[in-house]
């Protein structure tokens, strides 16, 4: 929304002078959004007016905001285009208070699904005894969770193409089923059924992509371009926050093998409470938040052609690698630190610092980047810092002092978490008019796939019992650092070699162009475009 739009003292309508072609374009966008607000196609094939020549929009009075339908007063009807009588259509752009309910629910689901992921890793030794298996088998509970994302991510893209609500409901159902199946395999303090728990863990893994890939789609549908980065950051970074809760709380729940049963039960109860409100969130706003939100997105087939952009892959590849390393390090942090004399509580606090410091850094940077749009600069600063942190961390466990791991992991968290929402939103800008869930889901799917592979590789690189110290993971840390540094040059090449013009933020430019047209125009009696805050 432009500044000039907000200067209106009474949310009055700005009335630009527009020609017939522009009015037709606005009319098409209005019809398309009202009839199909979740944008399932790239064209207006289903767009049509009612027989009476009117297009009805839902009232927003239940939110406590005044409706602002231009040229109709208190009426909730919008005139359709009519060549015969000269009437023109109108579009109302507005954000609704109810968007916060959906955003909070999406945030809760991302927290709990990530906690489900790290229910067992922070207490891998006790879990291995409880389920009568090895630590490597416990690692596979995390690995299977990550691979589940890859299996179902094409379905996720399709579900999100219809809007966030179907995706959120699918995730809630899988979270409920998966958690209680895990408890069914862990109900006795005397021992659990590993196979049953693995099945439940896979179901929770299938739930993750439906909510982890949803924030960009949700923010595009409900927020203006001055709030999308913050909204995406809140919902996306809730996922690692859930991992921090798992790292920090589960070790206090489990002091012995028999406590695993209670821990699984408590997590199932919390998951159920968090999942149930998902069925009551609104599906879509009555009217779009801005011009880009009203335009239909590219079809899935057209989106595949847009993915050929080199700039998109210069972000997708390092993003997937760093998400993968975050997943593997979070899962294995207990096994990385304990050979050097650290306790499981020490490792849990280290994992919590990695995430909590990152959340604070992202909370500070996201609103700033929402306003400055300095996405490229933020990426080029954060990526080298992430690579250097993985390099330095090779030597931190061997110091046998908490200060080293805590400081390096805190800096790593700050750089990584500041990068996540910026990279996701920048991908949406570069790929516009591709629907946001496409690049988001591919980015997260790559991270989950690589995360699972990195856990398997790191487990294979684990030292034997005769090493000094026994079963250390130094080789795994070296592998992590080398690959993390190899990925650094890719985003640094963005805009080089005469390709600066490929970095245009298309969605922001589209919103600004339409807002400028509204603010600079004058009423010629042909049409109106309303903008309400």
């Amino acid at each position: 929304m432009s500044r000039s739009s907000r200067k209106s003292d009474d949310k009055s309508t700005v009335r630009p002078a527009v020609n017939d072609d522009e009015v037709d374009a606005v009319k098409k966008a209005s019809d398309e959004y009202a009839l199909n607000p979740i944008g399932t196609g790239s064209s207006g094939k289903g767009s049509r007016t009612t027989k009476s020549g009117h297009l009805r929009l839902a009232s927003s009075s239940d939110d406590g905001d005044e409706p602002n339908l231009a040229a109709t007063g208190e009426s909730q009807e919008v005139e359709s285009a009519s060549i015969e009588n000269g009437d023109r259509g109108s579009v109302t752009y507005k954000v609704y208070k109810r968007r916060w309910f959906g955003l909070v629910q999406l945030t809760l689901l991302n927290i709990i699904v990530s906690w489900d992921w790290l229910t067992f890793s922070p207490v891998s030794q006790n879990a291995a005894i409880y389920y009568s298996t090895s630590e490597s088998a416990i690692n596979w509970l995390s690995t299977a969770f990550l691979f589940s994302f890859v299996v179902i991510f094409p379905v996720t893209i399709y579900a999100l193409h219809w809007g966030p609500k179907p995706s959120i409901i699918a995730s809630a159902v899988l979270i409920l089923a998966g958690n209680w199946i895990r408890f069914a395999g862990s109900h006795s303090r005397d021992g659990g059924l590993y196979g049953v728990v693995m099945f439940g863990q896979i179901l929770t893994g299938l739930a993750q992509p439906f909510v982890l890939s949803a924030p960009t789609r949700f923010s595009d549908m409900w927020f203006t371009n001055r709030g999308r980065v913050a909204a995406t950051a809140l919902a996306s970074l809730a996922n690692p926050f859930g991992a921090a809760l798992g790292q920090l709380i589960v070790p206090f729940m489990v002091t012995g093998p028999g406590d695993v049963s209670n821990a699984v039960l408590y997590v199932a109860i919390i998951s159920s409470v968090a999942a149930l409100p998902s069925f009551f969130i609104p599906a879509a706003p009555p009217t779009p938040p801005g011009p880009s939100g009203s335009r239909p997105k590219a079809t899935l087939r057209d989106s595949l052609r847009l993915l050929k952009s080199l700039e998109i892959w210069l972000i997708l590849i390092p993003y997937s690698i760093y998400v993968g390393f975050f997943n593997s390090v979070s899962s294995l942090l207990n096994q990385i630190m304990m050979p050097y004399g650290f306790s499981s509580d020490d490792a849990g606090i280290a994992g919590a610092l990695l995430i909590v410091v990152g959340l604070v850094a992202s909370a500070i940077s996201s609103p700033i980047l929402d306003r400055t749009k300095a996405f490229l600069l933020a990426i080029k600063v954060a990526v080298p810092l992430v690579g250097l942190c993985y390099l330095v961390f090779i030597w931190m466990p061997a110091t046998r002092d908490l200060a080293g791991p805590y400081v390096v992991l805190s800096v790593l968290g700050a750089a990584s978490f500041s990068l996540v929402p910026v990279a996701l939103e920048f991908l949406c800008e570069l790929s516009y008019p591709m629907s946001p869930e496409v690049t988001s889901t591919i980015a997260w799917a790559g991270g989950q796939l690589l995360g699972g592979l990195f856990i398997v590789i790191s487990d294979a690189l684990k030292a034997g019992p005769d090493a000094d110290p026994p079963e250390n993971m130094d080789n795994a840390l070296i592998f992590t650092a080398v690959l993390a540094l190899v990925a650094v040059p890719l985003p640094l090449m963005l805009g080089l070699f005469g390709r600066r013009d490929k970095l245009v933020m298309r969605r922001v430019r589209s919103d600004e162009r339409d807002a400028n047209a509204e603010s600079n125009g004058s009423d010629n009696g042909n049409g109106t475009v309303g903008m309400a805050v």
Side-chain angles (χ1 to χ4, degrees), residues 106-124:
L106 184 57
T107 300
L108 285 175
L109 289 178
N110 268 306
I111 290 173
I112 202 62
V113 78
S114 191
W115 191 345
D116 288 339
W117 165 46
L118 291 184
T119 303
F120 306 103
S121 294
V123 290
S124 56

Side-chain angles (χ1 to χ4, degrees), residues 468-525:
D468 182 26
E471 300 183 331
N472 69 75
M473 303 198 75
D474 291 354
N475 290 334
L477 293 178
I478 294 172
F479 163 75
T480 299
V482 170
L483 195 52
L485 290 172
V486 168
V488 168
L490 296 179
L492 298 183
M493 290 190 290
L494 287 166
L496 301 181
F497 311 110
R499 297 182 65 88
R500 185 78 184 179
D501 60 313
K502 304 296 183 181
L503 300 179
V504 173
M505 291 193 287
R506 302 172 183 175
R507 186 173 55 173
V508 169
R509 176 170 290 186
S510 173
D511 283 344
E512 291 176 346
R513 182 174 60 246
D514 286 4
N516 288 336
E518 293 161 11
S519 62
N520 295 331
S522 59
D523 184 16
N524 64 357

Side-chain angles (χ1 to χ4, degrees), residues 222-269:
W222 287 90
F223 288 82
T224 67
N225 62 26
R226 294 181 65 84
R228 290 189 191 121
V229 174
T232 298
L234 178 63
S236 298
L237 297 180
N239 190 270
F241 179 67
L245 293 178
Q247 293 272 16
L248 193 60
I249 297 174
V250 172
F252 289 100
M253 290 181 176
V254 180
T255 57
D259 295 330
V260 173
S261 176
N262 286 337
V264 174
L265 173 61
Y266 298 151
V267 173
I269 293 172

Side-chain angles (χ1 to χ4, degrees), residues 293-313:
S294 67
R295 293 192 182 92
K297 303 298 189 294
T299 64
L300 294 179
R301 180 176 298 177
D302 292 337
S303 296
L304 294 177
R305 289 195 289 269
L306 293 172
L307 280 174
K308 295 178 181 179
S309 168
L310 174 63
E311 281 67 27
I312 290 176
W313 289 101

Side-chain angles (χ1 to χ4, degrees), residues 16-41:
V18 290
N19 59 37
D20 288 352
D21 291 339
E22 290 170 337
V23 170
D24 290 343
V26 170
K27 176 64 183 61
K28 181 179 179 182
S30 176
D31 288 358
E32 184 71 32
Y33 187 86
L35 290 172
N36 186 15
I38 54 180
T40 57

Side-chain angles (χ1 to χ4, degrees), residues 87-345:
D87 290 340
R88 299 301 182 187
S90 65
V91 181
T92 295
Y93 300 130
K94 185 175 182 179
V95 291
Y96 295 83
K97 293 178 182 177
R98 71 189 77 171
R99 71 193 188 279
W100 298 111
F101 174 44
L103 184 62
V104 168
Q105 184 56 33
L106 184 57
T107 300
L108 285 175
L109 289 178
N110 268 306
I111 290 173
I112 202 62
V113 78
S114 191
W115 191 345
D116 288 339
W117 165 46
L118 291 184
T119 303
F120 306 103
S121 294
V123 290
S124 56
Q125 292 179 334
N126 287 322
I129 296 172
Y130 177 76
Y131 292 111
S132 301
T133 187
S134 64
E135 277 194 82
S136 293
I138 297 301
N139 289 342
W140 269 102
L141 290 172
S142 295
T143 307
F145 181 97
L146 299 177
F147 284 154
S148 298
F149 192 119
V150 183
V151 171
I152 204 170
F153 92 88
V155 179
T156 303
I157 294 177
Y158 183 78
L160 281 169
H161 208 63
W162 287 93
K165 184 171 183 176
S167 183
I168 290 173
I169 290 176
S171 179
V173 170
L174 289 167
I175 286 173
L176 289 168
N179 272 275
W180 289 108
I181 289 174
R182 293 196 316 174
F183 178 67
S186 312
H187 66 277
S188 173
R189 290 181 58 88
D190 297 329
L193 301 174
Y194 179 80
V196 175
V197 171
M198 175 61 83
F199 177 62
Q201 187 79 350
I202 290 172
L203 289 182
T204 59
L206 294 174
Q208 187 185 38
F210 289 104
V211 287
L212 188 55
S213 302
T216 53
R217 183 72 167 103
F218 188 88
S219 63
D220 180 73
M221 179 179 285
W222 287 90
F223 288 82
T224 67
N225 62 26
R226 294 181 65 84
R228 290 189 191 121
V229 174
T232 298
L234 178 63
S236 298
L237 297 180
N239 190 270
F241 179 67
L245 293 178
Q247 293 272 16
L248 193 60
I249 297 174
V250 172
F252 289 100
M253 290 181 176
V254 180
T255 57
D259 295 330
V260 173
S261 176
N262 286 337
V264 174
L265 173 61
Y266 298 151
V267 173
I269 293 172
I270 295 170
S271 298
S272 300
V273 172
L276 289 176
S278 301
F279 299 94
F280 305 102
I281 65 170
T287 56
S292 64
S294 67
R295 293 192 182 92
K297 303 298 189 294
T299 64
L300 294 179
R301 180 176 298 177
D302 292 337
S303 296
L304 294 177
R305 289 195 289 269
L306 293 172
L307 280 174
K308 295 178 181 179
S309 168
L310 174 63
E311 281 67 27
I312 290 176
W313 289 101
L314 288 176
I315 300 174
L316 277 176
I317 292 173
Y319 183 90
S320 297
I321 290 174
Y322 292 144
V323 169
F325 280 136
F326 171 83
N327 289 336
S328 64
V329 170
S330 297
S331 297
L332 300 173
L333 194 55
N334 197 44
Q335 298 170 54
I336 290 171
M337 297 183 67
M338 289 185 69
Y340 288 95
F342 299 104
S343 67
S344 60
D345 289 346

